[in-house]
Amino acid sequence: MGTSTGAGTSTEKGAGRATGTAPDAATAPVRVLDTSGAAYRRAFELFLAGTDEKPRTHARLTEVATGLDRRRVLLDVGAGEGRTTAHLAQYFERTVAIEPSAVMRERLRAVCPGAFVLPDPIDAAEPPEPADLVHLSHVLYYVPPEDWLRTVGRVLDWAAPGGTLLVVLQNPESPCMRMAAHFAGVRYDLRPLAEQLAEQGPEHAVALETLDLCYRTDRLAEAVDVAEFMVNVADLADLAALDRLPDRGELTAYVERHFARPDGGYTIGHTQDMLTVRRAPR
């Protein structure tokens, strides 16, 4: 999971969402979380505390970064709160980040003070120079699927000749995505995009790989809070369009049915896909 908000159609993920407080009753609806609210921050921190995402993805990103022919400029598109930006930045001479959310930009500047930060959405952003690595992680949730090819094509143009674009998204068959599909009717899949990019740019090298990641906790209440956070991977429009938000009791039952371990704990898989596009040298 991630917190990137670089979509071209929105300046802040979750703008206009109700922050809410933790519901007490099982019949209270699942919350549509505001990224600037305390409920979102608590759920995100719970998620980070229990997942192996950061160490595993950072290790893979290190391999990608150190394998590049040149490491002059990093461009992180939809950098979010900046932890991954800061990790990657250590391998590059200069770092540029695109982050439309004011809340996220504040955190980004705190953890990655050396980055040059652009506040614009993708459709309006103009990075100052080509990048040797362009990182687009967990952003396409907030872009209509029919616009993915156009959006990623624009971002790919920001990579230098011989540079690499990385696009990261939830795997459509991960337990996390199956849960989001069950409750919010959403499903994301990078495979058609990979095929389109390979067809339109046969001179580029296109590859798709999968990283198996898991969130673990011993407490049901925390597992439900993180499951609620995961269901919020759906864009605001998807959740707001539902006739009825599921209630916490339904979500709790789903967690107990699908994610309970024999030892009494809970495991939620959130496998990610990483699409790599290496531009042809000039």
Side-chain angles (χ1 to χ4, degrees):
M1 300 292 293
T3 59
S4 299
T5 58
T9 57
S10 174
T11 56
E12 292 209 20
K13 176 192 169 192
R17 296 185 179 190
T19 304
T21 57
D24 296 324
T27 55
V30 167
R31 295 165 294 177
V32 183
L33 299 175
D34 181 347
T35 57
S36 65
Y40 179 92
R41 291 195 299 272
R42 177 182 178 275
F44 183 44
E45 292 301 328
L46 281 176
F47 169 73
L48 289 178
T51 181
D52 57 5
E53 176 178 342
K54 291 301 182 189
R56 296 204 65 191
T57 58
H58 284 186
R60 182 67 187 105
L61 290 173
T62 295
E63 294 174 348
V64 173
T66 56
L68 296 173
D69 294 334
R70 295 185 301 272
R71 297 198 298 273
R72 296 165 301 185
V73 179
L74 164 69
L75 174 60
D76 200 353
V77 182
E81 39 78 47
R83 299 186 203 198
T84 298
T85 315
H87 173 79
L88 282 169
Q90 64 186 310
Y91 301 107
F92 293 84
E93 297 173 15
R94 298 180 297 283
T95 297
V96 179
I98 296 173
E99 181 47 62
S101 166
V103 173
M104 292 296 177
R105 284 199 304 275
E106 182 178 351
R107 300 176 194 171
L108 170 63
R109 290 191 173 102
V111 300
C112 198
F116 177 71
V117 181
L118 297 171
D120 310 298
I122 291 175
D123 284 350
E126 295 291 344
E129 56 186 322
D132 300 299
L133 178 63
V134 181
H135 183 236
L136 183 75
S137 181
H138 300 291
V139 171
L140 291 181
Y141 306 124
Y142 316 111
V143 177
E146 60 269 21
D147 292 336
W148 279 14
L149 184 61
R150 177 186 61 82
T151 299
V152 172
R154 176 173 171 80
V155 174
L156 181 60
D157 285 343
W158 295 335
T164 294
L165 166 65
L166 292 180
V167 182
V168 182
L169 210 65
Q170 283 288 314
N171 180 281
E173 302 305 326
S174 74
C176 169
M177 274 288 90
R178 289 200 295 268
M179 177 174 61
H182 176 80
F183 286 109
V186 295
R187 186 176 183 273
Y188 306 98
D189 191 348
L190 282 178
R191 288 172 294 187
L193 176 64
E195 294 169 359
Q196 290 173 315
L197 290 169
E199 180 179 349
Q200 290 197 3
E203 71 277 16
H204 306 317
V206 179
L208 188 64
E209 64 181 282
T210 299
L211 296 176
D212 289 326
L213 308 172
C214 282
Y215 167 82
R216 296 177 177 87
T217 183
D218 294 330
R219 300 183 60 187
L220 175 60
E222 291 184 357
V224 173
D225 282 346
V226 169
E228 182 180 56
F229 168 77
M230 290 178 168
V231 170
N232 271 261
V233 73
D235 194 6
L236 173 64
D238 296 308
L239 288 177
L242 294 178
D243 293 334
R244 183 187 71 87
L245 287 172
D247 61 50
R248 295 272 293 189
E250 292 173 301
L251 185 62
T252 299
Y254 189 97
V255 169
E256 291 183 308
R257 184 166 62 252
H258 294 279
F259 303 139
R261 301 194 308 262
D263 66 2
Y266 301 87
T267 297
I268 306 177
H270 54 101
T271 304
Q272 294 178 4
D273 286 339
M274 180 182 290
L275 171 62
T276 304
V277 184
R278 182 167 183 176
R279 289 195 65 177
R282 191 182 301 277

